[in-house]
Amino acid sequence: MAAPWSCSDGYHVQLQRDSQFLCSDQRMHTELVDRLVLQLNRTYPQILTDKEAQRFRNLSVPTAVRLAELLVHLQGKGEEACHEFYRGLQIHAYNVYFNLPTRVSRRREPADPMGTNTVARRMERYVLNDRGPLFFLSCFSLAVGLALLYYYGEGNLSATGPFLSFSVLGLGRGTSEVLLAHAKDGSKIQ
């Protein structure tokens, strides 16, 4: 697997890493490849001459083959040619450009100017706990259950003493102590 794209890498390296994705993406259809070839030919004839443009617009050759040959040709032309290809792709097919593997990896791991790893710190900010959704659901259902007991007990939880004393078996130490204390207080009130 290739290393993620970094800002120090050039468009040439980026195009090498994106080539397989571009050749396999269904959105790179014949019309789009023709538009890219025409833009490179008309705007930058030093990158793509008329003869080369005709070769890459030959409809008797499958689009995937023409695109692969175009990408190899642009990589051979150098950094500026690769950069102009990306500009054309951004103009004509932003959805493809936005989903390129090198752009996706750059969005996931932005460049760190200090050289430290901020990815771990960023992940900690979003992780509230490591217990997972089952823990959340159990806590939520406990809270809902207590609310229902309180509501249907008309504000008096003393009738729930036996229930609370048996329900603490699977709970943590702090929660069990609170529920047992409440169960004991409720039995004294009666």
Side-chain angles (χ1 to χ4, degrees):
M1 183 175 180
W5 189 84
S6 68
C7 292
S8 62
D9 291 338
Y11 290 101
H12 183 268
V13 174
Q14 185 179 353
L15 189 58
Q16 285 176 341
R17 292 184 180 159
D18 288 335
S19 291
Q20 183 179 3
F21 173 81
L22 289 167
C23 290
S24 65
D25 194 342
Q26 297 297 321
R27 295 173 289 187
M28 295 296 291
H29 50 81
T30 303
E31 185 180 319
L32 176 59
V33 173
D34 285 347
R35 279 189 276 165
L36 290 169
V37 168
L38 285 175
Q39 179 180 349
L40 289 170
N41 175 248
R42 290 179 183 161
T43 311
Y44 303 100
Q46 71 276 15
I47 293 175
L48 207 59
T49 63
D50 289 335
K51 184 178 177 183
E52 294 166 337
Q54 289 294 7
R55 188 179 88 193
F56 295 125
R57 293 188 69 216
N58 184 359
L59 295 178
S60 64
V61 178
T63 304
V65 173
R66 290 187 293 135
L67 178 60
E69 289 176 356
L70 174 66
L71 296 176
V72 169
H73 176 77
L74 292 174
Q75 290 172 15
K77 287 283 190 167
E79 189 75 17
E80 183 184 356
C82 296
H83 178 68
E84 295 308 325
F85 172 78
Y86 277 112
R87 284 185 55 198
L89 189 62
Q90 185 178 11
I91 292 168
H92 295 293
Y94 186 75
N95 57 344
V96 175
Y97 176 77
F98 188 74
N99 290 316
L100 289 171
T102 53
R103 294 201 44 86
V104 170
S105 66
R106 197 172 7 160
R107 284 193 306 265
R108 284 189 199 140
E109 297 179 19
D112 189 7
M114 302 283 293
T116 60
N117 187 7
T118 59
V119 175
R121 273 189 266 133
R122 210 174 307 115
M123 289 303 291
E124 287 175 9
R125 190 171 51 186
Y126 297 113
V127 176
L128 299 177
N129 64 36
D130 59 347
R131 296 183 182 159
L134 195 58
F135 177 75
F136 169 76
L137 288 174
S138 62
C139 290
F140 184 73
S141 61
L142 177 70
V144 169
L146 287 175
L148 288 173
L149 284 173
Y150 183 76
Y151 178 76
Y152 286 112
E154 297 174 5
N156 184 7
L157 285 177
S158 62
T160 61
F163 170 74
L164 289 179
S165 60
F166 287 114
S167 65
V168 297
L169 295 175
L171 299 176
R173 183 175 166 221
T175 308
S176 351
E177 289 175 0
V178 170
L179 289 176
L180 285 174
H182 185 71
K184 288 177 185 175
D185 290 340
S187 62
K188 291 179 186 175
I189 296 173
Q190 291 178 355

